[in-house]
Amino acid sequence: MQQLQLLKRLYWLKTFGYDYFDEPKSIETVDNLQNIKLPDTLLELKKYTFSCHLCSLSKTRKNVVFGEGDQNAQIMFVGEGPGEMEDNTGRPFVGRAGQLLTKIIENVLEIKRQSVYIANIVKCRPPSNRVPTEEEANLCKPYLLKQIEIINPSIIVSLGSTSYRYLTGDRNGAISRVRGEVFDFGNAKLIPTYHPSYLLRNPSAKKDLYLDMLKVKAML
Ligand code: URA
């Protein structure tokens, strides 16, 4: 009975020109991305992330650090999360660790930084550069997986244990044990290696990273 009255009222409103439309789901109104269809282009996806407030990192960020590089890249590097310089500029790996990463790409792989794609597990800076929580990483992961789907790289290099753990779900994987191994990751091969920040603190690990990069180079 109530429904009938409601229907009558709707027809009545229609005579005045009212129209019914389904409220579009906006990123502002969802609490996770599991059932949301994300855009199929990097440009649209990037715009989407700019209005993301799914976790508390959005409250303290200056910029969303979406990722950058060649959208047809064969190699994708995945770090942990933006640091201060990255937060200030909106670009991934532009601080000291980033400069080292650029050197590794250009001097060891002998390709231009612009020819790879660089992203992070989370797109907003964790305060004081702390490790992103599991919740933050999981809320942000659909964006990264969509980036991987669009770019479709043949090699993904995960930088450091946080990147390796959150990408693969292997919670206990110690980077010193898994580095240099080759794992299947969808259409790509995933190779974990040390994070450049770790190399800045432990220069003796550089030779291991060098060996991992030679492996990557041989797979190109
Ligand atoms: N460290 C990361 O993991 N990502 C960046 O973008 C910069 C530093």
Side-chain angles (χ1 to χ4, degrees):
M1 189 61 187
Q2 242 182 356
Q3 275 178 339
L4 200 65
Q5 275 177 349
L6 184 64
L7 199 62
K8 265 186 170 175
R9 197 171 164 77
L10 286 173
Y11 275 122
W12 179 69
L13 286 170
K14 205 173 173 192
T15 61
F16 292 94
Y18 281 95
D19 210 355
Y20 169 79
F21 60 91
D22 219 356
E23 192 182 318
K25 272 206 177 96
S26 121
I27 192 70
E28 311 279 353
T29 60
V30 300
D31 53 16
N32 74 63
L33 298 169
Q34 300 311 320
N35 300 316
I36 296 288
K37 165 118 182 61
L38 291 171
D40 289 317
T41 66
L42 289 180
L43 197 66
E44 289 302 313
L45 187 65
K46 185 173 182 173
K47 280 193 216 155
Y48 220 81
T49 62
F50 281 11
S51 61
C52 181
H53 297 281
L54 291 178
C55 79
S56 60
L57 298 184
S58 65
K59 294 188 190 140
T60 47
R61 72 177 176 225
K62 288 191 186 137
N63 282 294
V64 173
V65 181
F66 179 72
E68 66 178 26
D70 185 344
Q71 55 179 338
N72 298 310
Q74 219 185 326
I75 310 182
M76 191 161 167
F77 287 85
V78 179
E80 179 174 312
E84 189 179 10
M85 287 271 278
E86 290 77 19
D87 186 36
N88 286 338
T89 57
R91 296 184 55 210
F93 281 98
V94 289
R96 275 185 75 217
Q99 283 160 21
L100 180 55
L101 178 64
T102 305
K103 274 193 192 161
I104 294 164
I105 294 168
E106 304 204 335
N107 299 342
V108 186
L109 296 180
E110 295 183 296
I111 53 178
K112 291 258 166 258
R113 175 179 157 125
Q114 302 91 279
S115 71
V116 306
Y117 197 91
I118 305 176
N120 280 302
I121 291 290
V122 291
K123 304 206 178 304
C124 301
R125 182 190 182 199
S128 316
N129 299 342
R130 64 162 169 75
V131 175
T133 64
E134 191 156 353
E135 189 189 16
E136 289 157 357
N138 286 337
L139 287 168
C140 212
K141 196 168 175 180
Y143 295 132
L144 178 60
L145 293 182
K146 193 71 191 183
Q147 276 172 300
I148 294 174
E149 183 192 316
I150 296 170
I151 296 160
N152 197 22
S154 50
I155 301 168
I156 298 172
V157 179
S158 59
L159 299 167
S161 58
T162 304
S163 170
Y164 167 76
R165 287 179 185 169
Y166 285 140
L167 263 177
T168 62
D170 175 3
R171 287 167 181 228
N172 303 316
I175 195 69
S176 54
R177 184 173 51 78
V178 295
R179 58 144 279 272
E181 282 196 43
V182 182
F183 299 90
D184 286 326
F185 192 91
N187 296 336
K189 297 289 178 199
L190 180 132
I191 304 186
T193 192
Y194 290 125
H195 193 286
S197 305
Y198 177 77
L199 297 184
L200 291 172
R201 297 190 305 271
N202 301 277
S204 62
K206 277 188 186 168
K207 67 171 186 328
D208 287 337
L209 179 127
Y210 181 70
L211 293 174
D212 299 346
M213 288 303 110
L214 288 185
K215 197 175 252 184
V216 169
K217 196 173 175 188
M219 287 165 65
L220 285 177

